[in-house]
Amino acid sequence: MGRPRDAGVERVALDAAARVLAEHGHQALTVDAVAARTGIAKTTLYRRWPTRAHLLAAVAEAALAPPTVPRTDDLAADVAAALRALSQALTGASRTGVLADLVAAATHHTELRPTLHRLGEVRRATTRDRLAGAVADGTLPSSADLDMVLDQLLGPLYLHALVTGDELTDHYVGRLVDSVLAGAGFAAKGRAAPGPTGTGSPRDASTTTHPGTPVAPRRSA
Amino acid sequence: MGRPRDAGVERVALDAAARVLAEHGHQALTVDAVAARTGIAKTTLYRRWPTRAHLLAAVAEAALAPPTVPRTDDLAADVAAALRALSQALTGASRTGVLADLVAAATHHTELRPTLHRLGEVRRATTRDRLAGAVADGTLPSSADLDMVLDQLLGPLYLHALVTGDELTDHYVGRLVDSVLAGAGFAAKGRAAPGPTGTGSPRDASTTTHPGTPVAPRRSA
Amino acid sequence: MGRPRDAGVERVALDAAARVLAEHGHQALTVDAVAARTGIAKTTLYRRWPTRAHLLAAVAEAALAPPTVPRTDDLAADVAAALRALSQALTGASRTGVLADLVAAATHHTELRPTLHRLGEVRRATTRDRLAGAVADGTLPSSADLDMVLDQLLGPLYLHALVTGDELTDHYVGRLVDSVLAGAGFAAKGRAAPGPTGTGSPRDASTTTHPGTPVAPRRSA
Amino acid sequence: MGRPRDAGVERVALDAAARVLAEHGHQALTVDAVAARTGIAKTTLYRRWPTRAHLLAAVAEAALAPPTVPRTDDLAADVAAALRALSQALTGASRTGVLADLVAAATHHTELRPTLHRLGEVRRATTRDRLAGAVADGTLPSSADLDMVLDQLLGPLYLHALVTGDELTDHYVGRLVDSVLAGAGFAAKGRAAPGPTGTGSPRDASTTTHPGTPVAPRRSA
DNA sequence: AATTAAGCGAGACGGTACGTCGCGTCTTAAG
DNA sequence: CTTAAGACGCGACGTACCGTCTCGCTTAATT
């Protein structure tokens, strides 16, 4: 019973928060700022999000409308597309900032970890399905450990975004996908399966498109 | 001219900081706290570390005495050993907390990114050498992209430590190393080289030791 | 028309309020607290008492069941008895607290002043009657300004309760009554009428009983 | 050691507080308001006055520059002058408001009671001296209990200011002084000592001047 | 019996101030 | 010139009560 929550509050608050984020960075994304901008009382905000961190999480989650990645019959291309979408979500000063803040906050507020996890998970689930499909139709060997594959795909993205700060270029993502999929036993389409010794090295030529991105030498870090 | 800097300050401060960290978590690791505990004036602390973040970085770096990983002729084992050492450095509430804080801080204080990077880099360099050696003696194909391999090895560790919060078990590290090395064309010693088609499925049995760690099914997430 | 007000609400609310007051002091006597304790909705409370201050006033008034002060032929004793009853009502941390809050609230909510006034008034009226009777039978001179006498009787009580925080001992009240009545021209019974020159000094020995209270020297403040 | 407190802070803050008080009443006298007006950080304010109540007390005390009441050879006039000065300090919406707030606050923050007390005490001390002098030169009988006299003088003032809200007119103060002093055995100057029965009633004609104030009938309360 | 005008519990909401915490800068005196 | 000491400005935090509001349900008196 009682007066029902005004659903508009969430919407307005998150909108404003997103705008603050875009305009002034994640440093400026304070509860006070959102309250001031929206006219929503701080009390009301704190009723939804008991902590600045929770608000951050909500903002991050809201910003992540899972884009429908089209499914073609090119496994590597599909996976790369999904990963590039995630890369974009992780890239950009403010976005990375929010993510980093969230990562830091999640060490106390463990209840935020699911959310944090879910951020990558949305794509991960789709990708996992795609990979499972590949296993089903024989494109990938049935022995493939999909979770391990996903870790190897996602891990490097977070590593670059959070730790090294390197750019996540489309080219890098392409190479990563090729490398990991090949490791998982993927025979690139229109190609003979590489020999067991791996000398045939399926990695020198990427099976996916890297639209116009030059091969930048990675920082040795 | 003037009074020389007291060299003891660094040591005392970092010691105290480490203790605060262990006792009360990284939230409590404030400049004021260190000052209060040690009797060192805030001014003095700020003279060394211009920012709380810099202090954090120093603490993190100090905590990371690079352990000498012995080099055997078992590539997978050596790599796994190095990664397990890193895993331990990333694991544990307070350690992960500092890392996360540092990651967050590095989004503003870009000058900290090198330090942050170096944390993993210490092992990375060793591991890179080990991998290069493997290429040299033919254990790994010369086509292997070592940086990519390292990304795939380190990335998942950070992913688990920072994002999912999953434990980094020795078992997981073993599987990861096996998977990545196999993908890079490594033929596990005393074994038929597994083809990428995976018929022989090299992953079901790890070539590295997992001391007592039962095979726990990972959350599908 | 419409549903009639539940008469029980007043009772329950005031009871609970009194209990809160006794247990946690007047600071804790908030509308929310009463609502939470009783299960009465805030709306309902505000329907009766438009303001916390009004609730306070009600609590204070309810706590003041006017005790019947017996009328003897000893004027000083009767007046002292009435004043002692009032003293008790003003004394004690929580009671004084409510009074003080009420005093503060009355500076805005002038509509509360009558209530505030009435708190002392109940006794005042009785006492005034008693004094008027004394004038009638010649115990007090007809020239006595009763309101002024009452001010001099009540004022010091409030002064001590609210400002100095000194205890209101029975002994003090006795001395006060003697002093004021003597000043008003009262000849203590069975005694020579003391002249204002005070040679007879009627004040050194009180005409009223001070049960067991030792003569404590007042702080010179 | 350490940086010394900026003495200007007290001055500026109290000045601003006094201005807020005068302009917007004691309700508006918040720590935030003072901080905003002066540019002094809230932290700094709280370093001096740990509570809004303490700030209020300081404001009240600062506003009470003890005016030098001239000493003539007219006891009643001197006392009345002192009391009128106090009356003015207690009168006026904002001043009474502060006092009332202070009275309320003192019930928790007992450390404020001395200050509260001192507010009246400043005049009380002077007046007490004047009375003692009167005792010394025989104007008052040596039996006079000065503290009791003072209570009877000050009590009614607080009673009116805080409880009844009646105005404290010069005329009332005059009558009060006459009444109390007469009760204490004061023979008004140039007058025969009133007879011991008090029929002579020194109160019908005040010995002090009431400049232009008509005799207003007191509210029956 | 149907209508209707309150009363009531529940709890969201806007508002205002509170008092606290940590950062990084500064001022002073001591070595 | 370094230190210890500690005041200071700044900005945000999360909390507490206030008094108002919107719900849905209940309870009479009125039609």
Side-chain angles (χ1 to χ4, degrees), chain A residues 27 107-108 113 121 145 147 151-152 160 164 172 175 179 185 196 203 218 221, chain B residues 26-27 108 113 117 145 147 151-152 160 164 172 175 179 183 194 196-197 218 221:
Chain A
Q27 286 286 52
T107 63
H108 322 282
R113 211 179 284 285
E121 193 53 16
D145 180 342
D147 283 319
D151 280 359
Q152 290 173 33
H160 282 218
T164 72
Y172 175 77
R175 286 200 302 139
S179 172
R203 260 161 260 94
R218 277 190 71 251
Chain B
H26 75 286
Q27 281 288 55
H108 320 287
R113 215 181 284 282
H117 198 179
D145 179 344
D147 282 320
D151 280 0
Q152 287 173 34
H160 282 218
T164 71
Y172 175 77
R175 287 199 303 140
S179 172
T197 44
R218 275 192 72 253

mmCIF file of all heavy atoms in Angstrom, chain A residues 27 107-108 113 121 145 147 151-152 160 164 172 175 179 185 196 203 218 221, chain B residues 26-27 108 113 117 145 147 151-152 160 164 172 175 179 183 194 196-197 218 221:
data_model
loop_
_atom_site.group_PDB
_atom_site.id
_atom_site.type_symbol
_atom_site.label_atom_id
_atom_site.label_comp_id
_atom_site.label_asym_id
_atom_site.label_seq_id
_atom_site.Cartn_x
_atom_site.Cartn_y
_atom_site.Cartn_z
ATOM 1 N N GLN A 27 33.370 12.311 -12.553
ATOM 2 C CA GLN A 27 33.692 12.980 -11.293
ATOM 3 C C GLN A 27 32.512 13.841 -10.840
ATOM 4 O O GLN A 27 32.228 13.954 -9.658
ATOM 5 C CB GLN A 27 34.916 13.887 -11.461
ATOM 6 C CG GLN A 27 36.228 13.181 -11.552
ATOM 7 C CD GLN A 27 36.678 12.646 -10.211
ATOM 8 O OE1 GLN A 27 35.913 11.942 -9.547
ATOM 9 N NE2 GLN A 27 37.903 12.942 -9.850
ATOM 10 N N THR A 107 34.048 -3.240 -4.550
ATOM 11 C CA THR A 107 34.836 -3.945 -3.540
ATOM 12 C C THR A 107 34.233 -3.788 -2.155
ATOM 13 O O THR A 107 34.421 -4.632 -1.300
ATOM 14 C CB THR A 107 36.291 -3.437 -3.508
ATOM 15 O OG1 THR A 107 36.292 -2.064 -3.142
ATOM 16 C CG2 THR A 107 36.926 -3.597 -4.875
ATOM 17 N N HIS A 108 33.483 -2.698 -1.918
ATOM 18 C CA HIS A 108 32.769 -2.564 -0.641
ATOM 19 C C HIS A 108 31.363 -3.065 -0.804
ATOM 20 O O HIS A 108 30.914 -3.951 -0.125
ATOM 21 C CB HIS A 108 32.676 -1.111 -0.201
ATOM 22 C CG HIS A 108 33.871 -0.332 -0.479
ATOM 23 N ND1 HIS A 108 34.985 -0.426 0.289
ATOM 24 C CD2 HIS A 108 34.150 0.538 -1.481
ATOM 25 C CE1 HIS A 108 35.901 0.361 -0.211
ATOM 26 N NE2 HIS A 108 35.419 0.951 -1.274
ATOM 27 N N ARG A 113 28.240 -6.041 -7.379
ATOM 28 C CA ARG A 113 29.002 -6.884 -8.286
ATOM 29 C C ARG A 113 28.126 -7.519 -9.366
ATOM 30 O O ARG A 113 28.500 -7.534 -10.541
ATOM 31 C CB ARG A 113 29.778 -7.942 -7.515
ATOM 32 C CG ARG A 113 31.068 -8.306 -8.231
ATOM 33 C CD ARG A 113 31.844 -9.333 -7.477
ATOM 34 N NE ARG A 113 32.536 -8.799 -6.311
ATOM 35 C CZ ARG A 113 33.637 -8.067 -6.366
ATOM 36 N NH1 ARG A 113 34.173 -7.764 -7.531
ATOM 37 N NH2 ARG A 113 34.211 -7.625 -5.280
ATOM 38 N N GLU A 121 27.934 -9.015 -19.198
ATOM 39 C CA GLU A 121 27.193 -10.257 -19.355
ATOM 40 C C GLU A 121 26.166 -10.205 -20.478
ATOM 41 O O GLU A 121 25.908 -11.204 -21.152
ATOM 42 C CB GLU A 121 26.479 -10.569 -18.041
ATOM 43 C CG GLU A 121 25.934 -11.951 -17.942
ATOM 44 C CD GLU A 121 27.023 -12.956 -18.241
ATOM 45 O OE1 GLU A 121 28.232 -12.592 -18.224
ATOM 46 O OE2 GLU A 121 26.676 -14.111 -18.513
ATOM 47 N N ASP A 145 35.657 -25.172 -24.480
ATOM 48 C CA ASP A 145 35.151 -24.680 -23.194
ATOM 49 C C ASP A 145 34.696 -23.240 -23.408
ATOM 50 O O ASP A 145 35.481 -22.299 -23.417
ATOM 51 C CB ASP A 145 36.271 -24.736 -22.162
ATOM 52 C CG ASP A 145 35.805 -24.240 -20.802
ATOM 53 O OD1 ASP A 145 34.769 -23.547 -20.734
ATOM 54 O OD2 ASP A 145 36.481 -24.541 -19.808
ATOM 55 N N ASP A 147 33.052 -21.021 -21.714
ATOM 56 C CA ASP A 147 33.317 -19.997 -20.711
ATOM 57 C C ASP A 147 34.775 -19.543 -20.763
ATOM 58 O O ASP A 147 35.072 -18.353 -20.632
ATOM 59 C CB ASP A 147 32.986 -20.542 -19.321
ATOM 60 C CG ASP A 147 31.483 -20.549 -19.086
ATOM 61 O OD1 ASP A 147 30.828 -19.569 -19.492
ATOM 62 O OD2 ASP A 147 30.969 -21.531 -18.532
ATOM 63 N N ASP A 151 36.066 -15.823 -21.478
ATOM 64 C CA ASP A 151 37.030 -15.125 -20.614
ATOM 65 C C ASP A 151 38.188 -14.572 -21.440
ATOM 66 O O ASP A 151 38.630 -13.439 -21.234
ATOM 67 C CB ASP A 151 37.592 -16.098 -19.564
ATOM 68 C CG ASP A 151 36.636 -16.293 -18.390
ATOM 69 O OD1 ASP A 151 35.554 -15.661 -18.404
ATOM 70 O OD2 ASP A 151 36.956 -17.069 -17.479
ATOM 71 N N GLN A 152 38.636 -15.359 -22.359
ATOM 72 C CA GLN A 152 39.773 -14.931 -23.161
ATOM 73 C C GLN A 152 39.400 -13.815 -24.132
ATOM 74 O O GLN A 152 40.261 -13.052 -24.583
ATOM 75 C CB GLN A 152 40.377 -16.118 -23.920
ATOM 76 C CG GLN A 152 41.096 -17.102 -23.012
ATOM 77 C CD GLN A 152 41.533 -18.358 -23.740
ATOM 78 O OE1 GLN A 152 41.859 -18.308 -24.926
ATOM 79 N NE2 GLN A 152 41.527 -19.480 -23.029
ATOM 80 N N HIS A 160 42.679 -3.841 -21.262
ATOM 81 C CA HIS A 160 43.075 -2.626 -21.979
ATOM 82 C C HIS A 160 42.320 -1.408 -21.479
ATOM 83 O O HIS A 160 42.894 -0.348 -21.252
ATOM 84 C CB HIS A 160 42.865 -2.815 -23.482
ATOM 85 C CG HIS A 160 43.937 -3.631 -24.127
ATOM 86 N ND1 HIS A 160 44.441 -3.368 -25.361
ATOM 87 C CD2 HIS A 160 44.628 -4.714 -23.685
ATOM 88 C CE1 HIS A 160 45.372 -4.252 -25.671
ATOM 89 N NE2 HIS A 160 45.496 -5.090 -24.666
ATOM 90 N N THR A 164 45.670 -0.854 -18.903
ATOM 91 C CA THR A 164 46.682 -0.220 -19.747
ATOM 92 C C THR A 164 46.207 1.098 -20.323
ATOM 93 O O THR A 164 47.004 1.985 -20.598
ATOM 94 C CB THR A 164 47.086 -1.136 -20.909
ATOM 95 O OG1 THR A 164 46.016 -1.190 -21.848
ATOM 96 C CG2 THR A 164 47.399 -2.539 -20.424
ATOM 97 N N TYR A 172 42.348 -4.424 -33.270
ATOM 98 C CA TYR A 172 42.787 -5.276 -32.162
ATOM 99 C C TYR A 172 41.727 -6.323 -31.857
ATOM 100 O O TYR A 172 42.012 -7.508 -31.668
ATOM 101 C CB TYR A 172 43.086 -4.447 -30.923
ATOM 102 C CG TYR A 172 43.419 -5.298 -29.729
ATOM 103 C CD1 TYR A 172 44.671 -5.889 -29.607
ATOM 104 C CD2 TYR A 172 42.473 -5.560 -28.741
ATOM 105 C CE1 TYR A 172 44.972 -6.706 -28.528
ATOM 106 C CE2 TYR A 172 42.766 -6.367 -27.664
ATOM 107 C CZ TYR A 172 44.010 -6.937 -27.553
ATOM 108 O OH TYR A 172 44.307 -7.748 -26.494
ATOM 109 N N ARG A 175 41.834 -9.095 -34.334
ATOM 110 C CA ARG A 175 42.935 -10.024 -34.130
ATOM 111 C C ARG A 175 42.668 -10.919 -32.929
ATOM 112 O O ARG A 175 42.930 -12.119 -32.943
ATOM 113 C CB ARG A 175 44.232 -9.243 -33.899
ATOM 114 C CG ARG A 175 44.798 -8.615 -35.181
ATOM 115 C CD ARG A 175 46.276 -8.295 -34.984
ATOM 116 N NE ARG A 175 46.483 -7.398 -33.848
ATOM 117 C CZ ARG A 175 47.461 -7.520 -32.974
ATOM 118 N NH1 ARG A 175 48.341 -8.513 -33.084
ATOM 119 N NH2 ARG A 175 47.584 -6.664 -31.993
ATOM 120 N N SER A 179 42.404 -14.928 -32.983
ATOM 121 C CA SER A 179 43.351 -15.704 -32.184
ATOM 122 C C SER A 179 42.630 -16.673 -31.257
ATOM 123 O O SER A 179 42.941 -17.862 -31.191
ATOM 124 C CB SER A 179 44.227 -14.751 -31.380
ATOM 125 O OG SER A 179 45.019 -15.446 -30.460
ATOM 126 N N GLY A 185 39.816 -23.967 -31.864
ATOM 127 C CA GLY A 185 39.629 -25.005 -32.869
ATOM 128 C C GLY A 185 38.717 -24.574 -33.996
ATOM 129 O O GLY A 185 38.146 -25.403 -34.718
ATOM 130 N N PRO A 196 47.651 -29.720 -37.074
ATOM 131 C CA PRO A 196 47.699 -29.907 -35.633
ATOM 132 C C PRO A 196 48.891 -29.213 -34.970
ATOM 133 O O PRO A 196 48.797 -28.770 -33.839
ATOM 134 C CB PRO A 196 47.844 -31.421 -35.452
ATOM 135 C CG PRO A 196 47.768 -32.033 -36.801
ATOM 136 C CD PRO A 196 47.633 -30.978 -37.825
ATOM 137 N N ARG A 203 46.506 -17.193 -37.754
ATOM 138 C CA ARG A 203 46.385 -15.843 -37.192
ATOM 139 C C ARG A 203 46.969 -14.745 -38.073
ATOM 140 O O ARG A 203 46.610 -13.596 -37.931
ATOM 141 C CB ARG A 203 47.078 -15.791 -35.826
ATOM 142 C CG ARG A 203 46.124 -15.885 -34.667
ATOM 143 C CD ARG A 203 46.850 -16.290 -33.438
ATOM 144 N NE ARG A 203 46.701 -17.692 -33.151
ATOM 145 C CZ ARG A 203 47.578 -18.605 -33.561
ATOM 146 N NH1 ARG A 203 48.633 -18.248 -34.250
ATOM 147 N NH2 ARG A 203 47.392 -19.878 -33.291
ATOM 148 N N ARG A 218 51.333 -2.614 -31.039
ATOM 149 C CA ARG A 218 50.912 -2.483 -29.646
ATOM 150 C C ARG A 218 52.036 -1.940 -28.788
ATOM 151 O O ARG A 218 53.210 -2.195 -29.057
ATOM 152 C CB ARG A 218 50.487 -3.838 -29.089
ATOM 153 C CG ARG A 218 49.069 -4.203 -29.436
ATOM 154 C CD ARG A 218 48.639 -5.422 -28.653
ATOM 155 N NE ARG A 218 48.470 -5.102 -27.253
ATOM 156 C CZ ARG A 218 49.291 -5.524 -26.304
ATOM 157 N NH1 ARG A 218 50.328 -6.238 -26.617
ATOM 158 N NH2 ARG A 218 49.090 -5.204 -25.035
ATOM 159 N N ALA A 221 53.865 -2.805 -23.444
ATOM 160 C CA ALA A 221 53.251 -3.116 -22.161
ATOM 161 C C ALA A 221 52.185 -4.175 -22.320
ATOM 162 O O ALA A 221 51.700 -4.719 -21.367
ATOM 163 C CB ALA A 221 52.641 -1.859 -21.561
ATOM 164 N N HIS B 26 40.826 -0.800 2.145
ATOM 165 C CA HIS B 26 41.400 0.313 1.397
ATOM 166 C C HIS B 26 40.580 1.582 1.540
ATOM 167 O O HIS B 26 41.062 2.664 1.254
ATOM 168 C CB HIS B 26 41.536 -0.061 -0.080
ATOM 169 C CG HIS B 26 40.243 -0.063 -0.797
ATOM 170 N ND1 HIS B 26 39.294 -1.040 -0.634
ATOM 171 C CD2 HIS B 26 39.706 0.798 -1.676
ATOM 172 C CE1 HIS B 26 38.259 -0.780 -1.391
ATOM 173 N NE2 HIS B 26 38.471 0.321 -2.026
ATOM 174 N N GLN B 27 39.339 1.453 1.979
ATOM 175 C CA GLN B 27 38.540 2.641 2.247
ATOM 176 C C GLN B 27 39.206 3.513 3.298
ATOM 177 O O GLN B 27 39.187 4.732 3.235
ATOM 178 C CB GLN B 27 37.154 2.238 2.785
ATOM 179 C CG GLN B 27 36.166 1.794 1.759
ATOM 180 C CD GLN B 27 35.675 2.954 0.923
ATOM 181 O OE1 GLN B 27 36.476 3.677 0.329
ATOM 182 N NE2 GLN B 27 34.386 3.129 0.845
ATOM 183 N N HIS B 108 41.774 9.609 -13.873
ATOM 184 C CA HIS B 108 42.090 11.039 -13.802
ATOM 185 C C HIS B 108 43.590 11.240 -13.886
ATOM 186 O O HIS B 108 44.084 11.947 -14.739
ATOM 187 C CB HIS B 108 41.623 11.637 -12.481
ATOM 188 C CG HIS B 108 40.322 11.125 -12.040
ATOM 189 N ND1 HIS B 108 39.157 11.490 -12.640
ATOM 190 C CD2 HIS B 108 40.017 10.245 -11.070
ATOM 191 C CE1 HIS B 108 38.184 10.859 -12.051
ATOM 192 N NE2 HIS B 108 38.664 10.102 -11.105
ATOM 193 N N ARG B 113 49.017 5.519 -14.611
ATOM 194 C CA ARG B 113 48.793 4.336 -15.416
ATOM 195 C C ARG B 113 50.066 3.497 -15.582
ATOM 196 O O ARG B 113 49.991 2.258 -15.461
ATOM 197 C CB ARG B 113 48.193 4.692 -16.776
ATOM 198 C CG ARG B 113 47.225 3.626 -17.244
ATOM 199 C CD ARG B 113 46.632 3.936 -18.583
ATOM 200 N NE ARG B 113 45.610 4.968 -18.532
ATOM 201 C CZ ARG B 113 44.374 4.749 -18.110
ATOM 202 N NH1 ARG B 113 44.019 3.552 -17.701
ATOM 203 N NH2 ARG B 113 43.498 5.703 -18.114
ATOM 204 N N HIS B 117 50.172 -0.279 -14.622
ATOM 205 C CA HIS B 117 50.548 -1.240 -15.637
ATOM 206 C C HIS B 117 51.694 -2.112 -15.153
ATOM 207 O O HIS B 117 51.709 -3.322 -15.307
ATOM 208 C CB HIS B 117 50.957 -0.489 -16.907
ATOM 209 C CG HIS B 117 50.942 -1.330 -18.111
ATOM 210 N ND1 HIS B 117 51.242 -0.889 -19.355
ATOM 211 C CD2 HIS B 117 50.648 -2.639 -18.251
ATOM 212 C CE1 HIS B 117 51.146 -1.867 -20.202
ATOM 213 N NE2 HIS B 117 50.779 -2.942 -19.566
ATOM 214 N N ASP B 145 51.907 -14.625 -31.677
ATOM 215 C CA ASP B 145 51.923 -13.200 -31.294
ATOM 216 C C ASP B 145 51.988 -13.145 -29.773
ATOM 217 O O ASP B 145 50.973 -13.300 -29.085
ATOM 218 C CB ASP B 145 50.649 -12.534 -31.823
ATOM 219 C CG ASP B 145 50.586 -11.069 -31.435
ATOM 220 O OD1 ASP B 145 51.335 -10.639 -30.519
ATOM 221 O OD2 ASP B 145 49.795 -10.351 -32.067
ATOM 222 N N ASP B 147 52.416 -10.806 -27.515
ATOM 223 C CA ASP B 147 51.613 -9.820 -26.793
ATOM 224 C C ASP B 147 50.162 -10.261 -26.721
ATOM 225 O O ASP B 147 49.496 -10.107 -25.685
ATOM 226 C CB ASP B 147 51.727 -8.458 -27.475
ATOM 227 C CG ASP B 147 53.051 -7.788 -27.108
ATOM 228 O OD1 ASP B 147 53.466 -7.889 -25.937
ATOM 229 O OD2 ASP B 147 53.667 -7.171 -28.005
ATOM 230 N N ASP B 151 48.060 -10.981 -23.397
ATOM 231 C CA ASP B 151 46.750 -10.369 -23.145
ATOM 232 C C ASP B 151 45.736 -11.425 -22.747
ATOM 233 O O ASP B 151 44.939 -11.242 -21.823
ATOM 234 C CB ASP B 151 46.250 -9.644 -24.407
ATOM 235 C CG ASP B 151 46.894 -8.272 -24.556
ATOM 236 O OD1 ASP B 151 47.715 -7.903 -23.694
ATOM 237 O OD2 ASP B 151 46.571 -7.576 -25.534
ATOM 238 N N GLN B 152 45.782 -12.517 -23.472
ATOM 239 C CA GLN B 152 44.796 -13.573 -23.201
ATOM 240 C C GLN B 152 45.067 -14.262 -21.876
ATOM 241 O O GLN B 152 44.178 -14.883 -21.290
ATOM 242 C CB GLN B 152 44.785 -14.587 -24.346
ATOM 243 C CG GLN B 152 44.140 -14.041 -25.607
ATOM 244 C CD GLN B 152 44.284 -14.986 -26.775
ATOM 245 O OE1 GLN B 152 44.274 -16.199 -26.613
ATOM 246 N NE2 GLN B 152 44.429 -14.429 -27.976
ATOM 247 N N HIS B 160 38.398 -11.480 -13.724
ATOM 248 C CA HIS B 160 37.831 -12.139 -12.550
ATOM 249 C C HIS B 160 38.052 -11.322 -11.288
ATOM 250 O O HIS B 160 37.148 -11.181 -10.468
ATOM 251 C CB HIS B 160 38.456 -13.533 -12.397
ATOM 252 C CG HIS B 160 37.871 -14.533 -13.327
ATOM 253 N ND1 HIS B 160 37.623 -15.838 -12.996
ATOM 254 C CD2 HIS B 160 37.441 -14.421 -14.605
ATOM 255 C CE1 HIS B 160 37.102 -16.482 -14.015
ATOM 256 N NE2 HIS B 160 36.986 -15.637 -15.018
ATOM 257 N N THR B 164 34.136 -9.801 -12.053
ATOM 258 C CA THR B 164 33.213 -10.829 -11.564
ATOM 259 C C THR B 164 33.428 -11.110 -10.089
ATOM 260 O O THR B 164 32.502 -11.519 -9.393
ATOM 261 C CB THR B 164 33.388 -12.147 -12.341
ATOM 262 O OG1 THR B 164 34.637 -12.730 -11.969
ATOM 263 C CG2 THR B 164 33.397 -11.904 -13.832
ATOM 264 N N TYR B 172 41.811 -22.886 -12.077
ATOM 265 C CA TYR B 172 41.401 -22.046 -13.197
ATOM 266 C C TYR B 172 42.617 -21.547 -13.963
ATOM 267 O O TYR B 172 42.651 -21.582 -15.203
ATOM 268 C CB TYR B 172 40.573 -20.858 -12.706
ATOM 269 C CG TYR B 172 40.229 -19.898 -13.811
ATOM 270 C CD1 TYR B 172 39.217 -20.203 -14.728
ATOM 271 C CD2 TYR B 172 40.935 -18.708 -13.977
ATOM 272 C CE1 TYR B 172 38.913 -19.338 -15.768
ATOM 273 C CE2 TYR B 172 40.638 -17.837 -15.020
ATOM 274 C CZ TYR B 172 39.627 -18.158 -15.907
ATOM 275 O OH TYR B 172 39.347 -17.314 -16.936
ATOM 276 N N ARG B 175 43.976 -24.237 -16.218
ATOM 277 C CA ARG B 175 43.172 -24.432 -17.426
ATOM 278 C C ARG B 175 43.397 -23.303 -18.416
ATOM 279 O O ARG B 175 43.493 -23.493 -19.617
ATOM 280 C CB ARG B 175 41.691 -24.499 -17.050
ATOM 281 C CG ARG B 175 41.311 -25.821 -16.365
ATOM 282 C CD ARG B 175 39.811 -26.021 -16.450
ATOM 283 N NE ARG B 175 39.089 -24.909 -15.852
ATOM 284 C CZ ARG B 175 37.981 -24.381 -16.358
ATOM 285 N NH1 ARG B 175 37.471 -24.852 -17.488
ATOM 286 N NH2 ARG B 175 37.388 -23.380 -15.752
ATOM 287 N N SER B 179 44.821 -23.650 -22.139
ATOM 288 C CA SER B 179 43.971 -23.248 -23.251
ATOM 289 C C SER B 179 44.679 -22.242 -24.153
ATOM 290 O O SER B 179 44.728 -22.399 -25.377
ATOM 291 C CB SER B 179 42.678 -22.644 -22.706
ATOM 292 O OG SER B 179 41.919 -22.078 -23.736
ATOM 293 N N GLY B 183 46.199 -22.800 -27.886
ATOM 294 C CA GLY B 183 45.741 -21.960 -28.985
ATOM 295 C C GLY B 183 46.905 -21.345 -29.731
ATOM 296 O O GLY B 183 46.835 -21.109 -30.953
ATOM 297 N N PRO B 194 48.188 -31.368 -30.209
ATOM 298 C CA PRO B 194 46.737 -31.334 -30.455
ATOM 299 C C PRO B 194 46.422 -30.403 -31.605
ATOM 300 O O PRO B 194 46.907 -29.275 -31.658
ATOM 301 C CB PRO B 194 46.193 -30.766 -29.148
ATOM 302 C CG PRO B 194 47.329 -29.988 -28.554
ATOM 303 C CD PRO B 194 48.610 -30.496 -29.130
ATOM 304 N N PRO B 196 44.028 -27.951 -33.736
ATOM 305 C CA PRO B 196 42.983 -26.994 -33.383
ATOM 306 C C PRO B 196 41.589 -27.573 -33.567
ATOM 307 O O PRO B 196 40.629 -27.054 -33.002
ATOM 308 C CB PRO B 196 43.200 -25.835 -34.356
ATOM 309 C CG PRO B 196 44.489 -26.097 -35.049
ATOM 310 C CD PRO B 196 44.924 -27.496 -34.774
ATOM 311 N N THR B 197 41.466 -28.600 -34.333
ATOM 312 C CA THR B 197 40.143 -29.203 -34.476
ATOM 313 C C THR B 197 39.710 -29.847 -33.179
ATOM 314 O O THR B 197 38.556 -30.201 -32.995
ATOM 315 C CB THR B 197 40.147 -30.285 -35.571
ATOM 316 O OG1 THR B 197 41.327 -31.086 -35.392
ATOM 317 C CG2 THR B 197 40.156 -29.671 -36.937
ATOM 318 N N ARG B 218 32.169 -23.665 -13.287
ATOM 319 C CA ARG B 218 32.037 -22.209 -13.253
ATOM 320 C C ARG B 218 30.594 -21.805 -13.426
ATOM 321 O O ARG B 218 29.834 -22.475 -14.112
ATOM 322 C CB ARG B 218 32.857 -21.567 -14.388
ATOM 323 C CG ARG B 218 34.320 -21.335 -14.031
ATOM 324 C CD ARG B 218 34.977 -20.446 -15.070
ATOM 325 N NE ARG B 218 34.528 -19.060 -14.982
ATOM 326 C CZ ARG B 218 33.720 -18.488 -15.861
ATOM 327 N NH1 ARG B 218 33.250 -19.152 -16.881
ATOM 328 N NH2 ARG B 218 33.368 -17.234 -15.720
ATOM 329 N N ALA B 221 27.697 -17.637 -16.069
ATOM 330 C CA ALA B 221 27.870 -16.222 -16.390
ATOM 331 C C ALA B 221 29.279 -15.963 -16.891
ATOM 332 O O ALA B 221 29.550 -14.868 -17.339
ATOM 333 C CB ALA B 221 27.597 -15.367 -15.153
#
